[in-house]
């Protein structure tokens, strides 16, 4: 197959929030930049974020970045790197104000400032009481943000390659990253994007689970590419199950609903979160709320015919507040739950939502890997930001509104790092190896020549999703995890012989599905194997054989497991690296280890 | 409402330029599970049956704007359309007025060209303040019904004026977005924006047919935005 070659200073893969924020940095600095996206930029999944973006602006209640940092470290169950968390919380005001200057239509307070609402796990005074930190545009914050970022890029003349799917990362023999191969969906042609710098902003992979709030396109493409190219994935055992997905449909209902006063109730009408989190109640951290809900359901206090969901109640709020602050939620609820939340509560269940782990990076957005005894060695020419990256600011559990903040802060810092490295002359255009496109071409050729007795993509994907749902859900069990490893490796084996009937060159979505499945399989293996190996409970990873004891509060074992997991695709090999417990500067003391309660 | 298993009949526009000389309408049926409620759920099931069926989709909750198609003659998002509300056979065609790439996938270049032509970004050349630019809740409210556009193209491809002049008429979506910036108190380019639209084609091809209002999946009202732009031109001329 003939492979065209294009050369750029920088290639950004993904045009969601992180990719667009990084692109701005590069376009405005005058670097020749290509932004690849398999969907038109405003279709990226950032668009679905609802409740807000965290920043300690203090527009309504007093706030400080120190408090935000404390909440984030505690929310991460101390697995987050404190240098990266300090960096993010300190930068929050700057990146949110920038966005306002770009034209983002934030809601406003009476004195004209950005409107802020309370959110789960965000507090004043180190956990004392809820704080108003979430900067919001009604319940469409992600939509407003993604469009504002795209619009700013239109102004900056960023060059987009829309509906191009990146296939594989190109590395040379020394391990330097030299760009990607990519498939143009409309023509089916493969090209090499040869670049000095490659930035991954490919988002999450929540579609590896059966029940997910995520878009169809969230297939972990960046993670799959990195894993196939020999780079590790970090902390993949940590998945966030959002407490409030619409029961049955999985569509997200923002935590902002509880921020505006919404209450979770069981079949008896009880506000059960009072028992689990006496202080922050319904606004406790997401992992805590999701587990409480599942416990209620498991103990027979669920609602409905099968007692398999709980209720999110806002009927006590005034219709005006609901129409003004939560109009999108009302729309979703009517359309997907058949319920007008002004009149009746919404049926909800915990639903897979966010990948805390990802491609390991530092706070500058540089991808790092273990080399010569240093787990923080940058990979030359490679950067990542947003949900595909693991900086790690979310550790074992992410706070709501910190994802939009993450993609702004680290999208910008990855962009700044590329520009700085470029200007310093560190980013020479290294020669492409002869086999640069071979891996991608081999994958395509395999699909093309697969015999008809191969496995349908649809069936393998479903098997993967059901395996992940059963074996790596909200609560985890020693035996199920063990069986889950065997099961997911079997699914991975069957994915090697997927068959597609459609052989067209033009816009072949069957081929795209098969290529995406390859990526999801890498993520699924990483998740199951990392989860089976971590013999403690921490944040979103809670196992039956690591219960709450005086010696190990909440089942957390800091002595043995206060460390990041690194999974390598080759041989499913695991390594570990230390958590950065030291903040970046002397402006703040390290947040000392403590038991997590809300 | 508890739905049961049922078989649903479709007539779907099929065209693959790689092998077809001309488009055909495919008769196909699919059995749906009780949990398959939306048209997109049915399309996903159809694709499991025939993997060559091509369509765009992403968020499946009506915010990304990917899966706009013509359903029984009306433009709508597959993910927001209740499959049981439709008369059968359900006739699916690509959005009208744009070139078809394959099956239900259209070439949206012209649509986005018009969107880009209205300078869809905030223009304010004053050095930005250290904190946010202030805007009262009432001023901000002016943007409601405008900023929510998801660029799905349901409206523009339902508009006869856009069908005749897609290269010259901005179309309902583009004009709604133009007014989104005109209405923003932080934007300083109102005059330039009005100058750009004061043209027999760019704005004035709108003949208030109001198909755009009828089909918008977000219940937005491009006609109202267009009328506000026209009003501003009148006021400006006096």
């Amino acid at each position: 197959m003939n492979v065209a070659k294009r050369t750029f200073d920088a290639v950004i893969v993904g045009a969601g929030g992180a990719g667009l924020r990084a692109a701005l940095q590069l376009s405005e600095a005058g670097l020749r930049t290509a932004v690849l996206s398999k969907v038109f930029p405003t279709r990226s999944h950032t668009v679905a974020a609802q409740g807000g973006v965290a920043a300690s602006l203090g527009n309504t209640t007093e706030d400080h970045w120190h408090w935000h940092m404390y909440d984030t470290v505690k929310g991460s169950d101390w697995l987050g790197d404190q240098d990266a968390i300090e960096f993010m919380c300190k930068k929050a005001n700057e990146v949110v104000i920038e966005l306002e200057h770009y034209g983002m239509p934030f809601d406003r307070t009476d004195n004209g400032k950005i409107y802020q609402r309370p959110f789960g796990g965000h507090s004043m005074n180190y956990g004392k009481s809820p704080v108003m930190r979430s900067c919001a545009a009604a319940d469409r914050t992600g939509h407003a943000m993604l469009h504002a970022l795209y619009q700013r890029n239109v102004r900056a003349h960023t060059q987009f390659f829309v509906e191009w799917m990146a296939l594989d990362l190109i590395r040379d023999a020394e391990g330097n990253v030299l760009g990607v191969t990519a498939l143009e969906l409309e023509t089916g042609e493969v090209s090499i994007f040869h670049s000095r710098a490659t930035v991954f902003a490919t988002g999450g992979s929540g579609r590896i689970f059966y029940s997910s709030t995520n878009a169809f396109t969230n297939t972990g493409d960046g993670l799959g590419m990195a894993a196939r190219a020999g780079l590790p994935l970090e902390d993949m055992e940590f998945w966030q199950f959002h407490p409030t997905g619409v029961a049955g449909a999985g569509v997200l209902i923002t935590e902002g609903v509880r921020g505006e006063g919404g209450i979770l109730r069981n079949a008896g009408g009880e506000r059960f979160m009072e028992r689990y989190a006496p202080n922050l109640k319904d606004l406790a951290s997401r992992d805590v709320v999701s587990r409480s809900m599942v416990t209620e359901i498991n103990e027979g206090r669920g609602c409905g015919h099968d007692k398999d969901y709980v209720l999110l109640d806002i009927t006590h709020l005034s219709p005006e507040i609901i129409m003004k602050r939560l109009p999108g939620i009302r729309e979703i609820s009517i359309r997907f739950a058949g319920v007008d939340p002004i009149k009746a509560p919404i049926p909800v269940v915990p639903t897979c939502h966010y990948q805390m782990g990802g491609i390991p990076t530092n706070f500058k957005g540089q991808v790092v890997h273990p080399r010569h005894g240093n787990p923080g060695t940058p990979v030359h020419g490679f950067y990542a930001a947003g949900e595909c990256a693991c900086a790690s600011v979310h550790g074992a559990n992410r706070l709501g509104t910190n994802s939009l903040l993450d993609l702004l802060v680290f999208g910008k810092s990855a962009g700044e790092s590329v520009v700085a490295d470029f200007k310093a002359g560190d980013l020479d255009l290294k020669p492409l190896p002869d086999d640069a496109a071979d891996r991608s071409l081999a994958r395509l050729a395999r699909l093309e020549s697969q015999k008809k007795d191969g496995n349908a993509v649809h069936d393998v994907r479903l098997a993967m999703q059901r395996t992940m749902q059963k074996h790596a859900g909200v609560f985890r069990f020693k035996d199920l995890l063990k069986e889950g490893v065997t099961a997911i490796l079997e699914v991975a084996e069957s994915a090697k012989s997927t068959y597609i009937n459609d052989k067209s060159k033009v816009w072949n979505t069957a081929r795209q599905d098969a290529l995406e499945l390859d990526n999801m399989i890498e993520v699924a293996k990483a998740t199951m194997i990392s989860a089976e190996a971590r013999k403690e409970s921490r944040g979103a990873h809670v196992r039956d054989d690591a219960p709450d004891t005086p010696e190990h509060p909440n089942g957390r074992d800091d002595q043995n497991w206060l460390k990041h997991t690194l999974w390598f695709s080759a041989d499913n090999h695991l390594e570990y690296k230390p958590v950065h417990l030291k903040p970046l500067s002397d402006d703040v003391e390290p947040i000392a280890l403590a038991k997590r309660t809300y | 409402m508890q739905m049961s298993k049922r078989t649903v009949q479709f007539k779907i526009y099929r065209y693959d330029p790689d092998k077809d000389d001309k488009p055909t309408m495919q008769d196909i049926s699919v059995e749906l599970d009780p949990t398959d409620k939306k048209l997109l759920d049915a399309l996903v099931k159809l694709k499991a049956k025939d993997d060559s069926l091509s369509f765009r989709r992403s968020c499946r909750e009506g915010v990304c704007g990917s899966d706009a198609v013509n359903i029984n003659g009306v433009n709508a998002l597959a993910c927001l359309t209740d499959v049981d509300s439709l008369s059968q056979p359900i006739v699916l065609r690509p959005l009208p007025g744009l070139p078809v790439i394959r099956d239900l996938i259209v070439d949206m270049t012209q649509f986005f060209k018009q969107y880009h032509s209205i300078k869809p970004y905030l223009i304010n050349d004053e050095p930005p303040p250290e904190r946010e630019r202030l805007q009262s809740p009432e001023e901000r409210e002016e943007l409601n019904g405008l900023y929510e556009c998801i660029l799905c193209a349901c409206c523009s491809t339902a508009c006869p004026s856009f069908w005749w002049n897609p290269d010259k008429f901005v179309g309902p979506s583009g004009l709604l977005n133009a007014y989104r910036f005109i209405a923003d108190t932080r934007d300083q380019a109102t005059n330039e924006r009005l100058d750009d639209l004061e043209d027999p084609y760019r704005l004035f091809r709108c003949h208030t047919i109001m198909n755009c209002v009828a089909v918008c999946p977000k219940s937005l009202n491009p006609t109202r935005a267009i009328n506000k732009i026209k009003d501003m031109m009148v006021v400006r001329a006096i």
Side-chain angles (χ1 to χ4, degrees):
Chain A
M1 188 188 237
N2 185 29
V3 179
K5 198 184 92 178
R6 294 175 162 83
T7 306
F8 290 91
D9 292 331
V11 169
I12 298 175
V13 183
L20 290 176
R21 188 62 194 81
L24 269 185
Q25 227 53 41
L26 302 187
S27 292
E28 287 173 358
L31 268 67
R32 278 177 28 82
T33 305
V35 183
L36 271 60
S37 176
K38 60 180 181 177
V39 293
F40 184 79
T42 64
R43 320 255 188 251
S44 310
H45 196 53
T46 303
V47 80
Q50 296 172 352
V53 50
S56 55
L57 293 171
N59 283 352
T60 305
T61 55
E62 187 188 351
D63 203 0
H64 299 287
W65 68 261
H66 293 85
W67 296 352
H68 185 190
M69 175 174 174
Y70 168 84
D71 292 337
T72 303
V73 172
K74 177 180 167 186
S76 81
D77 218 348
W78 278 268
L79 192 70
D81 285 339
Q82 296 198 18
D83 52 351
I85 294 175
E86 179 192 343
F87 182 79
M88 178 177 82
C89 296
K90 251 184 178 168
K91 281 265 191 192
N93 289 6
E94 170 191 318
V95 293
V96 168
I97 294 295
E98 268 171 1
L99 208 56
E100 194 282 329
H101 293 160
Y102 295 164
M104 170 143 169
F106 283 109
D107 283 4
R108 299 290 170 155
T109 62
D110 286 340
N111 55 13
K113 295 180 180 175
I114 293 171
Y115 170 76
Q116 296 184 281
R117 61 163 55 112
F119 235 79
H122 289 281
S123 74
M124 293 171 102
N125 263 320
Y126 311 99
K128 295 286 185 305
S129 57
V131 71
M132 294 170 86
R133 185 177 289 149
S134 169
C135 309
D139 52 3
R140 303 186 179 102
T141 310
H143 172 278
M145 179 184 286
L146 187 66
H147 281 252
L149 285 170
Y150 177 67
Q151 290 159 353
R152 186 75 179 187
N153 272 285
V154 172
R155 182 182 168 139
H157 303 292
T158 299
Q159 187 180 358
F160 289 99
F161 288 78
V162 174
E163 295 173 326
W164 283 69
M165 181 185 175
L167 299 179
D168 281 291
L169 191 64
I170 302 171
R171 297 180 79 189
D172 64 15
E174 285 77 51
N176 304 304
V177 167
L178 311 176
V180 292
T181 52
L183 178 82
E184 186 180 26
L185 298 178
E186 185 173 342
T187 61
E189 298 292 337
V190 176
S191 292
I192 288 175
F193 286 74
H194 183 201
S195 61
R196 298 166 187 270
T198 303
V199 183
F200 271 13
T202 54
S205 46
R207 281 275 157 179
I208 65 166
F209 285 87
Y210 182 70
S211 170
S212 172
T213 66
N214 282 203
F216 282 103
T217 39
N218 288 19
T219 53
D221 298 343
L223 279 72
M225 288 188 272
R228 278 194 298 276
L231 292 167
L233 301 181
E234 179 174 344
D235 292 342
M236 290 305 295
E237 60 270 47
F238 298 100
W239 279 87
Q240 177 159 85
F241 291 81
H242 194 289
T244 55
V246 172
V251 176
L252 175 68
I253 299 284
T254 174
E255 190 168 288
V257 170
R258 283 170 283 139
E260 295 289 345
I263 292 168
L264 290 164
R265 298 188 190 281
N266 59 21
E270 183 203 3
R271 183 180 194 179
F272 59 84
M273 279 312 299
E274 285 179 332
R275 277 188 278 121
Y276 297 93
N279 198 18
L280 291 185
K281 300 187 178 81
D282 300 90
L283 286 178
S285 209
R286 286 181 179 170
D287 57 335
V288 174
V289 178
S290 284
R291 280 195 292 275
S292 308
M293 291 166 69
V294 172
T295 303
E296 289 297 298
I297 292 167
N298 287 347
E299 293 179 357
R301 291 186 294 277
C303 307
H305 180 265
D306 297 323
K307 299 186 174 185
D308 57 357
Y309 59 83
V310 300
L311 294 170
L312 175 59
D313 186 3
I314 50 170
T315 54
H316 53 287
L317 301 185
S318 77
E320 291 72 43
I321 285 288
I322 295 173
M323 307 284 265
K324 185 171 178 190
R325 300 288 184 213
L326 305 166
I329 286 310
R330 182 167 179 247
E331 193 184 315
I332 284 174
S333 182
I334 292 171
R335 288 188 195 270
F336 289 94
V339 165
D340 183 348
I342 291 175
K343 296 178 194 136
I346 313 165
V348 289
V349 285
T351 306
C352 175
H353 183 58
Y354 189 87
Q355 149 199 304
M356 264 77 74
I359 302 166
T361 66
N362 58 24
F363 72 92
K364 296 175 184 168
Q366 297 170 311
V367 175
V368 295
H369 66 159
R371 266 293 175 282
H372 315 302
N374 175 13
T377 309
V379 179
H380 184 89
F382 197 23
Y383 309 77
E387 190 170 344
C388 76
C390 182
S392 138
V393 284
H394 310 306
N397 169 67
R398 173 174 73 77
L399 297 187
T401 69
N402 270 353
S403 57
L404 290 185
L405 180 60
D406 170 348
L407 59 82
L408 288 176
V409 168
F410 295 104
K412 181 175 181 180
S413 78
E416 285 176 337
S417 296
V418 172
V419 173
D421 293 347
F422 180 80
K423 288 190 172 155
D426 294 341
L427 291 174
D428 46 337
L429 189 70
K430 295 187 186 293
L432 276 177
D434 292 339
D435 63 355
D438 285 7
R439 191 199 314 272
S440 298
L441 296 179
R443 291 173 64 206
L444 291 168
R446 201 280 298 159
L447 262 180
E448 198 66 27
S449 61
Q450 179 68 45
K451 295 215 168 56
K452 272 200 172 181
D453 60 356
N455 302 302
V457 174
H458 176 80
D459 294 340
V460 179
R461 189 173 52 209
L462 197 62
M464 171 195 67
Q465 290 170 331
R466 291 204 190 277
T467 304
M468 296 310 293
Q469 196 78 22
K470 178 175 169 195
H471 294 271
V474 174
F475 283 105
R476 291 165 176 185
F477 302 88
K478 183 183 171 202
D479 296 341
L480 273 178
L481 285 168
K482 249 204 170 88
E483 292 163 22
V485 170
T486 313
I488 205 67
L489 291 177
E490 274 171 26
V491 175
E493 202 52 41
S494 67
K496 287 180 182 166
S497 49
T498 46
Y499 170 78
I500 54 171
N501 191 49
D502 186 359
K503 299 286 197 278
S504 173
K505 290 278 283 174
V506 179
W507 213 295
N508 189 326
T509 47
R511 180 176 294 143
Q512 187 183 349
D513 284 352
L515 295 166
E516 288 175 342
L517 179 64
D518 291 346
N519 295 326
M520 287 196 280
I521 289 288
E522 295 295 332
V523 178
K525 284 190 293 181
T527 299
M528 196 70 83
I529 288 161
S530 303
E532 195 277 329
R534 183 174 284 271
K535 306 285 191 299
E536 64 155 357
S537 296
R538 184 185 296 270
H541 175 70
V542 166
R543 318 171 43 120
D544 65 330
D545 56 344
D548 184 19
T549 62
E551 197 195 348
H552 297 302
N554 292 339
R556 202 176 81 197
D557 179 0
D558 289 328
Q559 198 154 17
N560 293 303
W561 289 101
L562 184 56
K563 56 189 180 186
H564 295 294
T565 308
L566 295 176
W567 169 86
F568 294 80
S569 184
D571 306 329
N572 289 304
H573 152 78
L574 294 175
E575 289 181 20
Y576 292 90
K577 67 175 184 178
V579 176
H580 298 185
L581 296 168
K582 220 172 121 352
L584 198 58
S585 76
D586 295 332
D587 296 351
V588 60
E589 291 288 311
I591 314 290
L593 289 160
K595 178 174 179 172
R596 222 168 132 237
T597 53
Y598 287 97
Chain B
M1 188 179 59
Q2 198 66 41
M3 277 170 285
S4 53
K5 280 208 172 211
R6 66 264 188 230
T7 300
V8 179
Q9 313 288 333
F10 286 88
K11 243 184 168 25
I12 305 179
Y13 178 102
R14 300 299 306 269
Y15 175 61
D16 175 4
D18 211 18
K19 63 179 177 61
D20 302 330
D21 294 333
K22 57 180 184 353
T24 52
M25 293 302 287
Q26 178 190 20
D27 292 299
I28 186 168
S29 65
V30 68
E31 188 182 50
L32 299 184
D33 286 317
T35 46
D36 296 319
K37 293 176 180 169
K38 303 296 179 188
L39 177 60
L40 182 60
D41 299 328
L43 282 171
V44 169
K45 278 265 154 73
L46 280 164
K47 188 163 178 62
K49 205 170 155 175
D50 173 359
D51 70 6
S52 70
L53 176 64
S54 307
F55 53 92
R56 291 188 179 101
R57 84 282 180 270
S58 185
C59 78
R60 64 83 164 81
E61 58 191 56
V63 293
C64 81
S66 297
D67 64 348
V69 280
N70 187 268
I71 306 161
N72 285 348
V74 180
N75 293 350
L77 300 181
C79 63
L80 294 185
T81 302
D82 286 319
V83 73
D84 293 309
S85 72
L86 300 167
S87 64
Q88 296 181 33
I90 298 168
V91 181
L92 299 181
R93 293 173 177 277
L95 290 176
L98 294 176
V100 175
I101 297 175
R102 180 177 176 182
D103 296 347
L104 301 175
I105 297 174
V106 291
D107 180 351
M108 298 189 63
T109 308
Q110 198 62 58
F111 172 80
F112 287 123
K113 217 171 180 176
Q114 291 297 356
Y115 173 68
H116 292 145
S117 80
I118 59 102
K119 298 196 175 167
Y121 42 80
L122 194 84
I123 299 177
N124 184 325
D125 293 329
E126 281 172 19
E130 204 148 291
R131 289 288 297 239
E132 62 264 57
R133 293 193 170 101
L134 298 180
Q135 191 172 46
S136 72
E138 294 72 32
E139 289 169 338
R140 165 62 182 77
E141 211 145 292
E142 291 297 313
L143 307 183
N144 285 350
L146 303 171
Y147 83 94
E148 302 93 324
C149 175
I150 58 173
L151 302 175
C152 65
C154 278
C155 61
S156 292
T157 61
C159 173
S161 300
F162 188 77
W163 295 338
W164 308 145
N165 297 106
D167 53 336
K168 294 185 192 142
F169 174 48
V170 172
S173 170
L175 290 168
L176 178 99
N177 279 289
Y179 186 64
R180 177 251 171 274
F181 290 99
I182 291 170
D184 195 324
T185 50
R186 299 169 296 175
D187 189 90
Q188 296 177 325
T190 297
N191 264 325
E192 294 90 310
R193 292 183 191 279
L194 293 178
D195 288 346
D196 168 63
L197 296 173
E198 199 150 24
D199 172 282
Y201 283 96
R202 284 181 66 68
L203 173 74
F204 288 100
R205 280 292 117 168
C206 170
H207 299 307
T208 21
I209 300 166
M210 295 181 71
N211 282 0
C212 53
V213 182
V215 297
C216 176
K218 306 308 284 183
S219 307
L220 309 180
N221 190 329
T223 306
R224 191 194 304 144
I226 291 167
N227 286 337
K228 288 201 171 179
I229 298 174
K230 288 178 179 169
D231 289 349
M232 288 180 87
M233 286 179 179
V234 173
V235 170
R236 189 169 76 143
I238 303 172

